[in-house]
Amino acid sequence: MKFGQEHLPVIVVQGNQSFCGIGGCQCRAFTWDASSHRFALLRGPSVTAYRYLAKTRQFQAMQLPYVGGLFGFLEAQGSHLSILSRTYDVWQHATVTPIRYVEGVRGVGSMQLGSEERYLPTTPGPIPLNMTYAVLEVFLEARFWICP
């Protein structure tokens, strides 16, 4: 990712095939740290997790600190990245997470969420119910989400 004269490039590196799977690849981002004269690993964005609140019978979104590399299918657009990650549910949903680079005080910044995550597909589609467990999963998910 290039930023003109104001900042050195950010290099995004995809792991080799042993770090890839059907859900994407493990990736890391680096930039040159002039103060230490070496490449610096950039922190990634916080991760959205959901905690179930028994009193309200709802989930509450919460941000967890970054713990590893970026994972998913990456798409670079200028100085922004988008990561497509599968949710592994019976509907084959995926999340698209826009990420942007934010400069730090010493010139080494971090990757942060560019905007809200969105989910794909955006329209309902056929559900592959070719196995008993898939039928049970659909039933339990429908019961949980539709009938409180």
Side-chain angles (χ1 to χ4, degrees):
M1 297 185 298
K2 296 180 181 178
F3 300 91
Q5 296 296 324
E6 66 219 34
H7 195 289
L8 290 171
V10 171
I11 300 169
V12 180
V13 181
Q14 177 178 301
N16 63 23
Q17 291 303 317
S18 64
F19 294 105
C20 293
I22 59 173
C25 295
Q26 187 75 32
C27 300
R28 299 206 181 264
F30 300 88
T31 193
W32 183 257
D33 184 357
S35 63
S36 66
H37 302 287
R38 63 176 65 162
F39 281 101
L41 176 65
L42 302 179
R43 289 190 333 265
S46 59
V47 178
T48 303
Y50 297 90
R51 177 174 49 188
Y52 182 71
L53 303 175
K55 283 185 176 181
T56 61
R57 300 174 107 185
Q58 295 180 345
F59 285 93
Q60 176 187 30
M62 54 191 296
Q63 296 298 313
L64 298 179
Y66 169 76
V67 292
L70 305 171
F71 183 79
F73 296 104
L74 292 178
E75 181 180 314
Q77 301 164 342
S79 61
H80 293 73
L81 291 174
S82 291
I83 300 176
L84 178 80
S85 305
R86 293 182 54 200
T87 59
Y88 296 99
D89 64 1
V90 74
W91 288 276
Q92 299 299 314
H93 287 119
T95 58
V96 177
T97 307
I99 294 178
R100 63 187 171 90
Y101 174 76
V102 177
E103 287 188 54
V105 177
R106 296 180 302 134
V108 176
S110 64
M111 305 300 256
Q112 295 182 6
L113 292 178
S115 60
E116 291 293 318
E117 290 178 313
R118 57 189 173 89
Y119 293 90
L120 297 175
T122 56
T123 58
I127 301 169
L129 299 177
N130 54 358
M131 298 194 169
T132 307
Y133 78 88
V135 175
L136 180 60
E137 183 179 354
V138 170
F139 174 77
L140 292 174
E141 287 185 12
R143 171 66 180 97
F144 179 76
W145 290 108
I146 297 170
C147 307

